Amino acid sequence: MAKRKLGILISGRGSNMAALVEAAQAPDCPYQVVLVASDKPEAPGLAWARERGVATFAQSPKGMPKADYEAAIDAALRDAGVEAIALAGYMRLLSDNFVQAWHGRIVNIHPSLLPKYKGLDTHARAIEAGDSHAGASVHIVTEELDGGEVLGQTEVAIEPGDSSDSLAARVLIEEHRLYPRVVAQWLNR
Ligand code: GRF
């Protein structure tokens, strides 16, 4: 069967993007990464992708209406033949228009056990609350922030003395396992 064409949106380091690209090397992986796009032309993840021969696109939203910025991202994704989008540390809210145009075809990885801790500072909030576990969730992107159907989750125990940085580092390792596996299942379903 033809591989599904995945586009990935990043804003920074792109370690989850890298995990998705590396997993796509497997012959039985149901997707190929056809574009990595960013709102930050200097995002380290873009350089990483470029070095590996993955097509990249960058468009800063500075000084332009949000609709024009998103139209440029949308055009780049469509030109690349993208069928599904994975957000990987993309730090910008997508407009309702964009989400509706790609309805049901965008996923995100969020560093908490959703529905707990939507938004930012998830690990600090989990530690502060005295939770026994933190984790990460892969979910469908809808108009509601971090609110779409959860497709997969992984739990990570919070250790005594954990800081949000130490916890984030352990969760990130699990994110890199979780995201490619769940994206593959999602695209196979
Ligand atoms: C990850 O913690 C992810 O869960 C969140 O943003 C971070 C991105 O890291 N959405 P990276 O850019 O993938 O390394």
Side-chain angles (χ1 to χ4, degrees):
M1 215 171 71
K3 294 198 180 224
R4 307 289 299 282
K5 293 184 175 171
L6 186 71
I8 306 178
L9 298 186
I10 65 168
S11 293
R13 139 188 96 173
S15 70
N16 280 289
M17 173 277 296
L20 288 166
V21 167
E22 279 168 358
Q25 305 303 314
D28 61 346
C29 182
Y31 67 84
Q32 55 176 313
V33 178
V34 294
L35 188 70
V36 175
S38 181
D39 58 326
K40 297 257 190 315
E42 70 287 2
L46 278 183
W48 185 95
R50 226 177 278 124
E51 279 165 20
R52 276 149 190 87
V54 180
T56 62
F57 175 80
Q59 173 67 60
S60 167
K62 283 186 193 145
M64 68 198 299
K66 180 164 181 157
D68 293 357
Y69 159 73
E70 283 193 341
I73 296 280
D74 184 80
L77 292 165
R78 292 185 194 278
D79 287 351
V82 166
E83 297 165 281
I85 300 172
L87 307 183
Y90 181 68
M91 298 306 287
R92 211 159 273 285
L93 285 178
L94 295 170
S95 70
D96 289 358
N97 272 347
F98 189 97
V99 172
Q100 281 153 17
W102 291 88
H103 177 77
R105 293 189 291 151
I106 312 175
V107 288
N108 181 41
I109 185 157
H110 180 75
S112 80
L113 296 172
L114 289 173
K116 280 189 157 184
Y117 313 127
K118 297 174 180 177
L120 297 175
D121 300 324
T122 54
H123 300 309
R125 288 154 69 199
I127 292 169
E128 176 67 21
D131 292 356
S132 64
H133 288 78
S137 307
V138 177
H139 66 93
I140 299 276
V141 173
T142 63
E143 291 86 340
E144 188 201 337
L145 177 69
D146 300 325
E149 178 194 357
V150 172
L151 301 173
Q153 282 185 325
T154 189
E155 287 191 353
V156 174
I158 298 178
E159 308 287 356
D162 252 340
S163 64
S164 63
D165 284 351
S166 64
L167 179 56
R170 291 205 310 286
V171 172
L172 192 63
I173 292 167
E174 297 306 323
E175 289 183 31
H176 298 160
R177 299 194 177 113
L178 178 74
Y179 209 8
R181 176 169 61 74
V182 174
V183 168
Q185 280 167 2
W186 172 57
L187 294 175
N188 266 331
R189 79 179 188 180

